[in-house]
């Protein structure tokens, strides 16, 4: 993440573009944080934030453009969840969780109680309503997805966490499944799934991970492949 240009720097001439090759646009004014940092509620009040901005330890975190693998992996898991989750659960994609006053991350996928719905203008969930948080690891978010976010989800009591990595040889998702130890408020690894995911918590789900590049609903996806 880069900051805004200094006011003392010369402006680019109109029409010539900036030095980095971008077209000339009105300068974006990065929000200046208060001395104590931003709060979770500020995400709904700060104007013109980039989409999918998160709050980690009172600091705004901006997301880089997604890779194809990232988007396809989210699509595959989301379709599998929606087609197999029981009616009392709901699935959200890229929706924030207000963990505490200074932390409001946005997991790639969430499984929550259906009763957590508060209306069409809802912008976040409480951690006590979240059963599963899923993060697909990106090159710019490895430390956050592998260390920072899991630690915070566990401390907030989210019972299940899944981390998705790319198999560098096959290009398929590899899913690391964790379950919360309530005594230590930390996650323990319960399984690593290559090619096919089969889990019983927080609900029974089976997904063909090799179908990551297939259109959702095509032959071989999700439960249809598992039962074929």
């Amino acid at each position: 993440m880069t900051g805004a240009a200094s006011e003392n720097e010369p402006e680019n001439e109109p029409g010539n573009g900036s030095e980095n090759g971008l077209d000339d646009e009105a300068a974006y004014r990065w929000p200046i944080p208060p001395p104590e940092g931003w709060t979770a509620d500020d995400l709904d009040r700060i104007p013109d934030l980039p989409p999918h901005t998160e709050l980690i330890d009172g600091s705004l975190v901006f997301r880089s453009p997604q890779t194809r693998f990232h988007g396809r992996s989210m699509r595959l898991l989301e379709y599998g969840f929606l087609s197999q989750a029981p009616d009392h659960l709901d699935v959200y994609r890229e929706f924030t969780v207000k963990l505490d006053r200074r932390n409001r991350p946005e997991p790639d996928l969430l499984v929550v109680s259906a009763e957590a719905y508060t209306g069409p203008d809802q912008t976040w969930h409480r951690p006590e309503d979240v059963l599963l948080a899923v993060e697909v690891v990106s090159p710019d978010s490895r430390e956050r997805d592998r260390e920072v976010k899991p630690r915070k989800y566990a401390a907030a009591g989210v019972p299940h966490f899944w981390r998705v990595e790319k198999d560098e040889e096959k290009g398929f998702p590899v899913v690391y499944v964790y379950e919360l130890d309530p005594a230590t408020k930390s996650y323990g690894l319960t399984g690593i799934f290559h090619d096919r995911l089969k889990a019983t918590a927080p609900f029974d789900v089976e997904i063909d991970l090799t179908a990551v590049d297939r259109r959702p609903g095509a032959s071989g996806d999700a439960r249809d492949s598992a039962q074929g």
Side-chain angles (χ1 to χ4, degrees):
M1 181 180 67
T2 58
S6 167
E7 294 183 357
N8 295 325
E9 293 179 1
E11 295 183 358
N12 296 312
E13 295 183 6
N16 290 339
S18 62
E19 292 182 359
N20 62 9
L22 299 176
D23 292 334
D24 224 14
E25 295 180 356
Y28 177 75
R29 296 293 182 182
W30 297 100
I32 300 174
E36 67 278 7
W38 300 108
T39 70
D41 290 334
D42 288 331
L43 284 189
D44 294 323
R45 296 193 287 253
I46 304 173
D48 302 321
L49 282 178
H52 309 298
T53 299
E54 301 177 282
L55 185 74
I56 304 293
D57 292 329
S59 296
L60 299 176
V61 177
F62 306 122
R63 179 177 297 183
S64 298
Q66 288 184 1
T67 64
R68 184 176 187 271
F69 170 81
H70 192 280
R72 291 294 175 91
S73 295
M74 283 198 298
R75 184 181 71 176
L76 176 69
L77 294 178
E78 181 183 27
Y79 178 80
F81 290 174
L82 287 169
S83 62
Q84 300 178 56
D87 292 341
H88 68 278
L89 300 180
D90 204 353
V91 180
Y92 286 77
R93 176 172 175 159
E94 299 173 313
F95 202 84
T96 61
V97 181
K98 189 185 292 187
L99 300 180
D100 55 41
R101 186 174 180 272
R102 290 168 48 82
N103 289 280
R104 188 173 157 185
E106 183 182 279
D108 290 315
L109 288 168
L110 283 175
V111 176
V112 304
S113 167
E115 296 179 354
Y117 174 74
T118 62
D121 295 327
Q122 183 176 3
T123 59
W124 53 270
H125 279 299
R126 305 179 305 168
E128 52 265 39
D129 293 322
V130 178
L131 282 79
L132 169 64
V134 181
E135 296 287 357
V136 180
V137 176
S138 297
D140 72 319
S141 66
R142 286 191 181 99
E143 183 178 357
R144 291 195 302 275
D145 293 341
R146 292 174 179 173
E147 300 178 23
V148 177
K149 287 186 177 181
R151 186 171 63 248
K152 291 183 179 297
Y153 295 147
V158 175
H160 300 278
F161 171 72
W162 294 3
R163 190 182 83 245
V164 182
E165 306 262 2
K166 184 175 70 173
D167 184 319
E168 294 298 338
E169 293 184 0
K170 298 180 179 180
F172 298 146
V174 178
V175 181
Y176 295 75
V177 173
Y178 297 85
E179 187 168 342
L180 182 69
D181 179 343
T184 63
K185 285 294 183 72
S186 62
Y187 288 123
L189 182 67
T190 60
I192 303 175
F193 295 90
H194 300 258
D195 296 340
R196 185 178 301 278
L197 166 69
K198 187 173 183 178
T200 58
F203 59 94
D204 290 333
V205 61
E206 190 166 355
I207 298 174
D208 179 6
L209 299 176
T210 68
V212 64
D213 288 321
R214 297 187 203 139
R215 187 183 299 272
S219 176
D221 279 347
R223 182 178 292 172
D224 291 339
S225 173
Q227 296 178 347

